[in-house]
């Protein structure tokens, strides 16, 4: 009897191994053949034009009082003067004083238009937290602060094969790349079949409520429902996916939602020589600790699964067994992802305490304490779910939970089977034949969130490889990347303009 059971078990194991191996062998990279295209030469003067765009400090400051309109007006003037064909042939509208919407009328009014997005604003250059490492010795820290940028952040310097400055990778490359490509196509006499829009917001770094949102309101009022929209988001990477050495172009098909919740307590204070039991700081700290210890559950969302299925074939054989058999290894995969902060952000609604305020004197027990916790929400959950989660976990009536002013629900997931995605994929492969294209979930937020109202096919991709200095010091883009970007936009505008 025991022998029979053992034999049965052995047979099961053999079958299981056979299934695992079979699935692994069957997992092969997609083979997509695209018509080759001739890659046009990029005009060397374009490099200086990009540097000039970086020299205009279109900074989005956290505080409205710091807003300086002059650079934004200068930037619009710069675009008009530098790209005269685009400025005169396309219909240009200035939206809400600083954002720009260009319309390139297609020959065939029956075709739905396409929108290429970008944002003109940049984050400030003040020392980011990451460059002020407190574990360093005091002398080192000082040296570190002094050497924050190797160049003037708005100097637009061209050196060592790079174009340096704030905005080089986020996101003036999208704006200038599209403008360079449009100008070149116009000079060549190109006329699209399909209408093309270029939509450049001026406050993406503040959430886009004054820029992209108003542009979408305008498009909606004109009943413009795009075929697809392309915004920043994904990039090409050669080193960010563990165990994959082949370059991968990440195209965002969804993005996470955003909510900052404030938690506050108001309790009796007193003298610090006789502390009681209910101390505001202690009560609130406990709540934060609970939130960190009981985070929303991790899981694989549809865009994360699509990503895994696309990068699986690029893995070494042993790893590929896991990717090819998610039906069995999904739990293991989630555990692996939880192990790194980037991975964790892909499989979970994240919990990040970002502000904590309380107290004003060393011998007074404060009556009030207030904290902000930022959550980035997985597709399929909502900002309301987050608030319910906080109340349930904290379970303390003394704590008042409120939603912050800026909220964004997670985006719907855009399909990978339709014309828009296929067109982006084809354009990528035409210009970067060596890369593999993989859809993925964007863990940050982009201006494209507003387009959900008018379009189901929203993709997030910028044609640059492993950018340096994103929201950080020494932001720069290689000249090679810049030139390739212009060619990519040139090609995708042509492909989109002809798509029918
Ligand atoms: Zn950006």
């Amino acid at each position: 009897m025991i022998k029979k059971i053992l034999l049965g078990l052995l047979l099961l194991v053999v079958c299981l191994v056979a299934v695992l191996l079979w699935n692994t062998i069957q997992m092969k990279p997609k083979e997509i053949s695209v018509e080759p295209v001739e890659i046009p030469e990029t005009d060397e003067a374009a490099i200086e034009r990009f540097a000039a765009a970086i020299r205009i400090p279109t900074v989005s400051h956290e505080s409205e009082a710091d807003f300086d309109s002059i650079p934004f007006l200068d930037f619009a003037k710069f675009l008009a003067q530098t790209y005269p064909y685009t400025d005169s042939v396309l219909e240009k509208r200035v939206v809400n004083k600083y954002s720009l919407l260009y319309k390139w009328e297609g020959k065939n009014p029956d075709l739905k238009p396409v929108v290429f997005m970008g944002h003109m604003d940049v984050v400030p250059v003040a020392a980011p937290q990451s460059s002020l490492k407190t574990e360093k010795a005091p002398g080192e820290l000082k040296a570190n602060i002094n050497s924050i940028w190797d160049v003037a952040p708005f100097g637009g310097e061209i050196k060592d094969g790079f174009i340096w400055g704030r905005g080089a990778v986020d996101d003036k490359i999208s704006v200038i790349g599209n403008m360079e490509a449009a100008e070149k196509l116009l000079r060549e006499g190109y006329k699209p079949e399909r209408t093309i829009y270029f939509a450049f917001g001026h406050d993406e770094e503040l959430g886009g409520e004054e820029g992209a949102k108003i542009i979408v309101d305008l498009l909606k009022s004109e009943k413009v429902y795009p075929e697809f929209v392309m915004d920043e988001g994904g990039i090409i990477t050669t080193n960010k996916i563990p165990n994959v050495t082949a370059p991968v172009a990440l195209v965002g098909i969804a993005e996470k939602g955003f909510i900052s919740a404030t938690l506050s307590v108001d309790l009796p204070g007193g003298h610090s020589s006789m502390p009681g039991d209910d101390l505001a700081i202690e009560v609130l700290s406990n709540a934060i600790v609970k939130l960190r210890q009981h985070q929303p559950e991790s899981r694989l969302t549809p865009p994360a699964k699509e990503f895994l299925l696309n990068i699986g074939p690029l893995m070494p054989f042993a790893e590929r067994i896991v990717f090819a058999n998610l039906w069995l290894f999904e739990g293991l995969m989630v555990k692996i992802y939880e192990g790194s902060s980037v991975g964790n952000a892909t499989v979970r609604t994240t919990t990040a305490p970002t502000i904590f305020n309380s107290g004003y004197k060393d011998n007074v027990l404060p009556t009030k304490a207030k904290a902000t916790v930022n959550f980035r929400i997985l597709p399929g959950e909502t900002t309301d779910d987050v608030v319910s989660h906080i109340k349930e976990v904290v379970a303390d009536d003394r704590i008042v939970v409120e939603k912050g002013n800026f909220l964004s629900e997670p985006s719907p997931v855009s399909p990978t089977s339709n014309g828009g995605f296929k067109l982006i994929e084809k354009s990528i492969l035409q210009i970067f034949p060596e890369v593999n294209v993989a859809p993925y979930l964007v863990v940050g937020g982009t201006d494209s969130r507003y387009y959900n109202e008018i379009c189901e096919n929203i993709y997030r991709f910028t044609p640059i490889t492993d950018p340096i200095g994103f929201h950080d010091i020494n932001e720069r883009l290689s000249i090679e990347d810049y030139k390739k970007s212009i060619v990519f936009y040139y090609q995708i505008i042509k492909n989109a303009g002809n798509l029918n």
Side-chain angles (χ1 to χ4, degrees):
M1 185 66 188
I2 291 178
K3 214 171 156 191
K4 267 192 183 163
I5 294 174
L6 282 178
L7 224 97
L9 277 177
L10 184 68
L11 195 69
L12 264 177
V13 171
V14 170
C15 286
L16 179 64
V17 171
V19 169
L20 295 183
L21 291 179
W22 174 254
N23 285 344
T24 309
I25 293 162
Q26 290 303 304
M27 186 176 230
K28 293 185 184 124
K30 284 185 287 187
E31 284 202 12
I32 303 159
S33 62
V34 295
E35 315 126 47
V37 288
E38 217 178 297
I39 297 186
E41 275 295 304
T42 316
D43 155 25
E44 286 297 311
I47 300 166
E48 179 46 42
R49 292 194 285 269
F50 190 43
I54 291 171
R55 286 183 203 121
I56 306 170
T58 47
V59 178
S60 267
H61 295 280
E62 218 33 59
S63 152
E64 220 174 295
D66 294 330
F67 176 73
D68 182 2
S69 63
I70 305 291
F72 288 91
L73 299 172
D74 285 349
F75 195 78
K77 216 183 290 167
F78 165 80
L79 291 182
Q81 283 165 359
T82 313
Y83 305 104
Y85 277 79
T86 312
D87 193 67
S88 56
V89 180
L90 273 56
E91 177 199 298
K92 179 178 77 176
R93 280 182 286 177
V94 178
V95 180
N96 200 13
K97 293 190 270 188
Y98 312 108
S99 284
L100 296 172
L101 180 64
Y102 295 88
K103 180 183 182 186
W104 193 350
E105 189 84 54
K107 286 186 277 183
N108 185 344
D110 295 336
L111 296 173
K112 285 167 118 185
V114 165
V115 180
F116 292 107
M117 298 172 59
H119 63 88
M120 301 180 284
D121 62 320
V122 300
V123 290
V125 292
Q129 290 289 318
S130 62
S131 65
L132 301 173
K133 298 252 165 61
T134 44
E135 69 266 24
K136 296 211 165 158
E140 251 187 295
L141 180 64
K142 200 165 157 229
N144 205 16
I145 292 172
N146 289 337
S147 60
I148 278 175
W149 279 77
D150 293 342
V151 296
F154 292 106
E157 259 185 67
I158 302 162
K159 66 166 191 171
D160 306 332
F162 288 88
I163 305 153
W164 296 65
R166 174 60 83 228
V169 301
D170 183 18
D171 179 40
K172 283 185 174 162
I173 180 57
S174 298
V175 176
I176 299 301
N178 273 304
M179 292 299 278
E180 286 282 339
E183 189 76 2
K184 187 171 168 62
L185 284 162
L186 284 164
R187 284 179 194 274
E188 290 170 5
Y190 177 75
K191 290 194 178 78
E193 288 291 323
R194 178 189 297 281
T195 295
I196 290 167
Y197 285 93
F198 298 109
F200 303 142
H202 72 275
D203 68 337
E204 193 274 346
E205 301 294 356
L206 300 174
E209 286 180 311
E210 299 294 322
K213 185 178 187 299
I214 313 286
I215 291 177
V216 171
D217 288 346
L218 178 69
L219 291 172
K220 204 174 153 189
S221 74
E222 294 172 355
K223 299 197 167 34
V224 174
Y225 298 106
E227 177 66 39
F228 76 88
V229 171
M230 192 176 88
D231 194 10
E232 62 171 345
I235 49 147
I236 298 172
T237 182
T238 56
N239 57 22
K240 292 190 176 59
I241 307 171
N243 295 317
V244 174
T245 48
V248 178
L250 299 165
V251 179
I253 56 169
E255 68 183 51
K256 292 179 88 177
F258 181 109
I259 179 175
S260 283
T262 57
L263 280 71
S264 46
V265 281
D266 193 347
L267 296 167
H271 198 281
S272 66
S273 60
M274 297 170 289
D277 279 340
D278 288 343
L279 308 183
I281 291 179
E282 187 181 25
V283 168
L284 193 57
S285 304
N286 284 338
I288 303 283
V289 170
K290 279 193 212 165
L291 284 173
R292 286 286 298 162
Q293 283 172 348
H294 305 278
Q295 299 195 23
E297 242 168 76
S298 54
R299 63 190 166 87
L300 287 183
T301 55
K305 272 191 190 159
E306 280 219 53
F307 169 72
L308 297 174
L309 292 178
N310 278 275
I311 59 156
L314 311 175
M315 293 278 164
F317 192 82
E319 282 78 6
R320 212 186 316 150
I321 296 174
V322 178
F323 283 77
N325 293 283
L326 285 179
W327 62 274
L328 183 63
F329 295 125
E330 186 164 336
L332 173 68
M333 187 64 90
V334 171
K335 276 274 162 290
I336 295 171
Y337 265 75
E338 283 176 357
S340 71
S341 52
V342 182
N344 190 47
T346 300
V347 296
R348 191 198 290 286
T349 293
T350 50
T351 305
T354 49
I355 304 173
F356 197 109
N357 283 320
S358 188
Y360 56 95
K361 196 168 184 319
D362 66 344
N363 61 354
V364 177
L365 289 168
T367 59
K368 292 182 170 102
K370 190 172 175 181
T372 302
V373 186
N374 180 244
F375 295 84
R376 302 301 180 103
I377 314 161
L378 276 188
E381 296 164 30
T382 63
T383 51
D384 284 341
D385 291 340
V386 171
V387 174
S388 311
H389 161 81
I390 297 171
K391 289 182 175 162
E392 198 184 307
V393 170
V394 170
D396 188 335
D397 293 340
R398 294 168 297 180
I399 294 177
V400 178
V401 180
E402 282 167 300
K403 284 183 176 183
N405 290 333
F406 180 80
L407 299 174
S408 168
E409 300 296 338
S411 77
V413 180
S414 298
T416 53
S417 54
N418 75 347
F421 184 85
K422 295 259 184 273
L423 183 123
I424 293 171
E425 184 174 54
K426 172 177 144 184
S427 310
I428 293 172
L429 294 173
Q430 282 174 323
I431 305 303
F432 306 93
E434 70 288 0
V435 312
N436 301 272
V437 177
Y440 88 117
L441 170 69
V442 176
V443 299
T446 70
D447 262 352
S448 73
R449 59 169 68 91
Y450 300 107
Y451 288 75
N452 293 323
E453 272 191 65
I454 55 170
C455 184
E456 287 174 353
N457 308 316
I458 297 176
Y459 304 102
R460 302 153 188 86
F461 176 71
T462 313
I464 55 179
T465 303
D466 294 317
I468 307 169
F470 177 84
H471 285 210
D472 208 340
I473 58 163
N474 290 330
E475 182 173 350
R476 61 193 187 272
L477 184 70
S478 76
I479 290 174
E480 198 193 323
D481 257 351
Y482 171 56
K483 287 182 172 175
K484 274 275 179 91
S485 296
I486 297 172
V487 176
F488 170 79
Y489 287 117
Y490 174 90
Q491 188 60 33
I492 197 169
I493 292 169
K494 253 168 90 165
N495 287 341
N498 298 337
L499 176 78
N500 43 53

